[in-house]
Amino acid sequence: MTNCSKITKNLALAACANSVAGLRPRMVLINFDDIDRTEKPVAGILEGITLKSAEVTGLLWEFIDNSLEADCTLNKGTYRNTFVHKVAGKALLKTQEVKDEINNLAHSRVVAVVENKDNNSEETRFEVYGYENGLRMADLQSPTTDADGVHYSFSLQSEDNARESELPLSFYAGTAEATEEAFKALSKA
């Protein structure tokens, strides 16, 4: 039996180099129900994401720098602690296609794969938010007076009754090159 309440390793929690905050401006969104759940993470690492059929694909959403962010917070429970995963983005383009996809996203449950700017570890360059239970739109704002040109600001996050049991999974296929290819293959972009 696994004991999830016992720490097991000595750690050095600092590095001589500065870490780089933020995400690269691209994300793959995958409909939660399109993922084949037979692939399980090992030690917090997901080596790939298999989709249920060749007809489905993830969708590559591209942003400008600093308009995509992710967050994970601990939800202190009475009997069990859980994690709330959150991904937030800003759309600086207003077209009918963008509106249609945001309308669809408002009713979807998705998994998000994002790329960290920090590259101190190849294993954590890409992370998967909402793999266990999915993310749903939690907020959408569409201000008509935003001077920065933000047309839509949205956030996707774990629902109150469907949080995650751990931090976002690392997405790592063994090498940086293989992981980049696996990321691209998720959306066939």
Side-chain angles (χ1 to χ4, degrees), residues 27-32 34-35 49-61 101 110-113 182-189:
M27 162 177 71
V28 171
L29 291 176
I30 306 165
N31 287 306
F32 183 84
D34 289 344
I35 297 174
I49 297 175
T50 303
L51 301 178
K52 287 183 177 175
S53 77
E55 286 79 43
V56 297
T57 183
L59 301 168
L60 178 66
W61 284 33
E101 283 305 301
V110 298
V111 170
V113 184
F183 176 80
K184 289 179 181 176
L186 290 173
S187 67
K188 297 181 176 73

Side-chain angles (χ1 to χ4, degrees), residues 27-165:
M27 162 177 71
V28 171
L29 291 176
I30 306 165
N31 287 306
F32 183 84
D33 292 331
D34 289 344
I35 297 174
D36 179 350
R37 299 280 162 193
T38 57
E39 206 155 7
K40 303 290 184 204
V42 176
I45 298 174
L46 197 57
E47 291 184 1
I49 297 175
T50 303
L51 301 178
K52 287 183 177 175
S53 77
E55 286 79 43
V56 297
T57 183
L59 301 168
L60 178 66
W61 284 33
E62 296 179 287
F63 299 82
I64 67 165
D65 203 24
N66 299 321
S67 65
L68 178 64
E69 22 182 271
D71 188 18
C72 181
T73 56
L74 176 73
N75 183 73
K76 181 76 175 140
T78 302
Y79 305 105
R80 174 172 285 177
N81 293 336
T82 56
F83 294 90
V84 176
H85 291 193
K86 181 178 179 181
V87 177
K90 294 176 176 40
L92 281 77
L93 181 65
K94 189 175 203 170
T95 65
Q96 191 57 47
E97 182 179 45
V98 170
K99 288 172 65 174
D100 290 345
E101 283 305 301
I102 290 177
N103 278 331
N104 291 339
L105 187 59
H107 304 285
S108 299
R109 182 166 59 145
V110 298
V111 170
V113 184
V114 300
E115 180 182 7
N116 292 302
K117 285 183 179 178
D118 188 77
N119 59 3
N120 283 327
S121 169
E122 287 181 8
E123 289 180 333
T124 59
R125 179 176 158 203
F126 291 92
E127 290 184 301
V128 183
Y129 285 76
Y131 187 76
E132 285 179 283
N133 294 305
L135 307 172
R136 291 202 183 259
M137 189 174 284
D139 184 46
L140 172 68
Q141 296 179 24
S142 180
T144 59
T145 57
D146 193 309
D148 266 352
V150 175
H151 293 289
Y152 303 104
S153 179
F154 64 90
S155 66
L156 309 169
Q157 76 177 43
S158 306
E159 292 187 288
D160 288 342
N161 63 347
R163 296 183 188 103
E164 304 289 309
S165 64

